[in-house]
Amino acid sequence: MIVLGIESTAHTFGVGIMNSEGEVLANIFDSYSSTEGGMVPDKVVQHHEEVAEKVLADALSKAKVSWEEIEFIAYSAGPGLDPALWAGYKKAQKWSEKYGKKLVGVNHCAAHLSIGKEINELEDPVYVYVSGVNTQVITFDGGKYRVMGETLDIGLGNMLDKFGRVIGLGFPAGPDIEKLAKKGKYIELPYVVKGMDTSFSGILSKVKQLYEKGVSKEDLCFSVQEVCFAMLAEVSERALAHTSKKELLLVGGVGANKRFCEMLAIMCQEREAKFYKVPMDLARDNAAMIAWEGFLRKDTHGDEGVKTFWRVDEV
Ligand code: ATP
Ligand code: FE2
């Protein structure tokens, strides 16, 4: 069975094609970016509308499949940026009508988790999901995803992007922060873990103040990384201890960060768990993961419309 997936929850418009053996046949995306101003909703929609047909054509040609071979269309129904979700849903509806394929709306967060589990062939991991909007430690228990801990305010990726704007970096800022951090040294920042939850907005305020006082970009980048990643290593370790699970899987765009992976890998090694990550093309927002999640949910999900605030523990 071949499934076509559409991703459009935020900055990325993607079309992915997967078969039921878990093979990625195509995973094409085009992401909105800007040198200043962050993610402007109108511009994101405009971007998605402009690139959609080309991304679709590229995906079909890369996968060497025709519409006749595709079983159905999976799309990201939520959660996400409302206008971006609608842009994707309208494309999904259009292609569904044009090619006579049914729609399966899936949860974008669940897709990040499922693709990571499939690619690494895992049994039952603790998931650390760190992207722009989301920062959650998740387990699967009693037939449902459980959020064991999460950010009490903004996601770590958004925090890094906001911090990036303050120090004059473009969007997304994560990769540049990682580069600058290599030349920095440690300065003290607030460390905010409450039970299993984390909070990043206070750290953001603090680094803004320090930047205005003249602390270097490099030192701030290094220290933000060290503190925020340590906070997440701490709650992840506690989740492993509490559940007695032996696999830790990092998903979401912030998972591209090498220092973050290193810290989690060391923590896992020390407690005889195994650390896994996802190749970047499948870890960031992408549509292959949407196709795969669609395959897993094809019997329970249908046209779900747009669900802007759909939580992973409601799946
Ligand atoms: P979701 O809808 O699941 O929250 P998302 O739209 O935020 O996803 P992702 O592609 O999963 O998108 O993650 C994007 C985030 O990852 C951005 O905030 C970006 O700054 C951050 N990021 C990317 N590369 C790095 C890196 N090397 N280090 C730190 N953060 C990074
Ligand atoms: Fe995402």
Side-chain angles (χ1 to χ4, degrees):
M1 180 188 293
I2 296 176
V3 181
L4 180 136
I6 303 171
E7 164 57 28
S8 170
T9 56
H11 47 71
T12 297
F13 186 89
V15 173
I17 302 176
M18 288 200 63
N19 66 21
S20 44
E21 277 79 61
E23 252 178 286
V24 180
L25 305 181
N27 190 20
I28 308 292
F29 42 76
D30 193 317
S31 297
Y32 169 80
S33 64
S34 74
T35 49
E36 55 187 27
M39 197 159 52
V40 183
D42 288 353
K43 293 205 175 143
V44 172
V45 170
Q46 194 188 350
H47 167 267
H48 293 356
E49 281 166 359
E50 278 168 16
V51 304
E53 295 296 337
K54 168 137 186 20
V55 170
L56 172 67
D58 289 355
L60 290 169
S61 102
K62 174 91 214 286
K64 298 190 181 70
V65 299
S66 64
W67 273 105
E68 287 84 74
E69 295 164 85
I70 290 164
E71 197 78 17
F72 61 87
I73 299 173
Y75 72 96
S76 257
L81 188 69
D82 198 56
L85 288 170
W86 278 102
Y89 181 54
K90 280 189 210 146
K91 281 289 163 205
Q93 279 180 317
K94 185 178 159 207
W95 295 337
S96 156
E97 271 166 40
K98 188 165 172 193
Y99 302 106
K101 305 291 170 183
K102 79 161 184 165
L103 288 179
V104 175
V106 301
N107 182 289
H108 172 94
C109 308
H112 273 296
L113 309 185
S114 304
I115 195 76
K117 180 167 180 274
E118 171 63 23
I119 291 294
N120 288 297
E121 299 179 358
L122 304 185
E123 282 292 313
D124 184 20
V126 167
Y127 301 91
V128 186
Y129 173 24
V130 191
S131 61
V133 190
N134 291 286
T135 299
Q136 295 180 320
V137 176
I138 301 165
T139 57
F140 190 77
D141 189 19
K144 253 172 94 79
Y145 287 119
R146 315 277 167 171
V147 177
M148 294 188 72
E150 63 190 312
T151 175
L152 297 169
D153 38 58
I154 52 176
L156 178 53
N158 280 359
M159 189 278 231
L160 294 174
D161 294 334
K162 284 184 186 182
F163 164 54
R165 271 178 80 177
V166 172
I167 61 170
L169 304 177
F171 172 83
D176 289 336
I177 291 173
E178 182 169 11
K179 277 189 209 128
L180 289 170
K182 294 210 171 87
K183 294 177 231 146
K185 62 179 186 315
Y186 188 70
I187 43 146
E188 196 165 321
L189 292 177
Y191 179 100
V192 197
V193 173
K194 296 176 183 170
M196 286 292 285
D197 295 327
T198 46
S199 158
F200 299 103
S201 63
I203 301 173
L204 179 62
S205 308
K206 183 72 190 179
V207 292
K208 275 185 193 162
Q209 285 168 8
L210 290 171
Y211 184 62
E212 280 157 17
K213 282 190 190 149
V215 177
S216 79
K217 291 178 188 180
E218 289 80 5
D219 288 355
L220 290 172
C221 290
F222 178 77
S223 308
V224 159
Q225 286 199 169
E226 292 303 301
V227 166
C228 298
F229 298 160
M231 286 161 51
L232 290 168
E234 180 192 330
V235 290
S236 307
E237 176 164 32
R238 222 171 305 128
L240 286 170
H242 181 76
T243 58
S244 307
K245 297 191 198 242
K246 289 288 171 204
E247 300 163 331
L248 186 77
L249 174 62
L250 175 62
V251 303
V254 183
N257 191 292
K258 294 216 169 62
R259 177 61 182 146
F260 191 19
C261 292
E262 181 186 32
M263 281 168 79
L264 292 177
I266 292 169
M267 179 276 283
C268 285
Q269 201 179 9
E270 284 176 357
R271 52 174 308 110
E272 288 168 14
K274 276 195 92 174
F275 172 67
Y276 298 89
K277 56 194 177 190
V278 185
M280 208 43 221
D281 279 5
L282 296 172
R284 50 159 293 145
D285 281 0
N286 72 89
M289 69 177 192
I290 302 303
W292 181 247
E293 181 69 9
F295 169 70
L296 298 177
R297 311 291 164 200
K298 65 185 183 329
D299 300 327
T300 51
H301 292 34
D303 183 342
E304 306 287 329
V306 165
K307 292 179 165 177
T308 314
F309 301 103
W310 195 5
R311 280 178 62 90
V312 74
D313 42 8
E314 292 164 6
V315 174

